[in-house]
Amino acid sequence: VMHVQHHHAHIAACLADNNRTHPAIGLCFDDLGYGPDGSFWGGEVLWGDLVSFERRYHLQPVHLPGGEYTDAPPCQVAVAYVRALAPGLPTAQLLTLLPNVSAHDVEAVDLMRLSGQNVARTSSMARLFHAVGAILGLCQDLHSSRVIQAMRTLEGQAAGVQDWRGQGRTYPFDLVNGQIRLAAMFSSLLADRLQGLPVPEIAHAFFRTLSAMAVLVAEQ
């Protein structure tokens, strides 16, 4: 039995499928898998081959409710992302964005994050999708295990926006010490939502931003 890190296994499988053995840039935007540091990975940019890898970039980690199981519903995941990436947003506005969440729910998530109990640190792209999907009102009632549905719902909204010239909006983000920092993106997305920008346009800008991230980290 060989033990292979979750995301390295994905990259190695892609290399093997294409009969390649030399190192490649691997964009592993995924759900959850244990990383060597003990946290849950899932938004990784790896440089690796069939034998080894280096983690060059990753999404900014967020502490999510649920502990080892990390199965909190998307609306609670959204609360955790807002508190981590846009801590200045008033609770009243957060409750407006997430009508299925109560003040008690927000308080419970805050308590878990501040105490460090029953939380898990993750860079998962899927959990970012859950947070954005819940904020846009697309998947607030989904259980977090239904990752693909959340992503397809977002994709379906974005696909309805015509952008023939590729000049649509993107949200800002930063690359700092190997992290893809998300605070600027998240704050801008929240502002668009609170100002009533159509959901398909926000979803489209979100996907364009992820594409811009992928290109920039690959170039770097």
Side-chain angles (χ1 to χ4, degrees):
V1 176
M2 292 180 62
H3 293 268
V4 183
Q5 194 276 330
H6 182 115
H7 301 97
H8 179 212
H10 286 325
I11 302 307
C14 289
L15 289 170
D17 277 345
N18 290 279
N19 297 313
R20 299 171 74 96
T21 59
H22 58 267
I25 299 167
L27 305 174
C28 201
F29 296 159
D30 192 21
D31 194 6
L32 298 171
Y34 276 118
D37 61 358
S39 69
F40 287 101
W41 289 12
E44 315 305 316
V45 181
L46 307 182
W47 171 249
D49 55 22
L50 297 177
V51 178
S52 62
F53 73 94
E54 297 175 19
R55 188 193 199 196
R56 294 290 180 88
Y57 288 98
H58 57 87
L59 291 184
Q60 178 179 347
V62 172
H63 286 87
L64 301 184
E68 183 178 353
Y69 300 101
T70 61
D71 59 351
C75 56
Q76 291 186 19
V77 171
V79 172
Y81 267 88
V82 170
R83 290 307 207 211
L85 302 177
L89 187 75
T91 299
Q93 288 187 322
L94 176 56
L95 295 176
T96 298
L97 288 170
L98 301 169
N100 289 356
V101 172
S102 68
H104 176 74
D105 293 330
V106 174
E107 184 179 339
V109 172
D110 285 343
L111 182 60
M112 283 186 281
R113 291 186 64 253
L114 292 174
S115 68
Q117 296 182 349
N118 199 31
V119 294
R121 186 172 183 266
T122 182
S123 58
S124 169
M125 178 67 81
R127 292 305 185 262
L128 175 61
F129 266 84
H130 280 174
V132 172
I135 288 166
L136 297 185
L138 302 176
C139 59
Q140 297 197 38
D141 297 324
L142 289 181
H143 191 276
S144 62
S145 62
R146 298 171 71 180
V147 175
I148 299 300
Q149 183 173 343
M151 291 185 175
R152 286 179 176 166
T153 302
L154 261 182
E155 183 184 21
Q157 289 289 320
V161 177
Q162 301 298 327
D163 182 23
W164 301 113
R165 298 181 182 274
Q167 297 175 346
R169 299 170 62 247
T170 58
Y171 294 121
F173 61 91
D174 302 291
L175 301 182
V176 181
N177 296 327
Q179 279 193 17
I180 305 170
R181 297 285 178 88
L182 301 172
M185 181 201 77
F186 217 76
S187 294
S188 298
L189 187 149
L190 290 172
D192 281 351
R193 180 64 168 148
L194 288 167
Q195 291 170 12
L197 198 72
V199 166
E201 291 187 24
I202 300 175
H204 187 260
F206 175 65
F207 272 97
R208 283 184 54 87
T209 303
L210 298 186
S211 298
M213 286 178 185
V215 170
L216 183 59
V217 295
E219 289 176 343
Q220 294 294 321

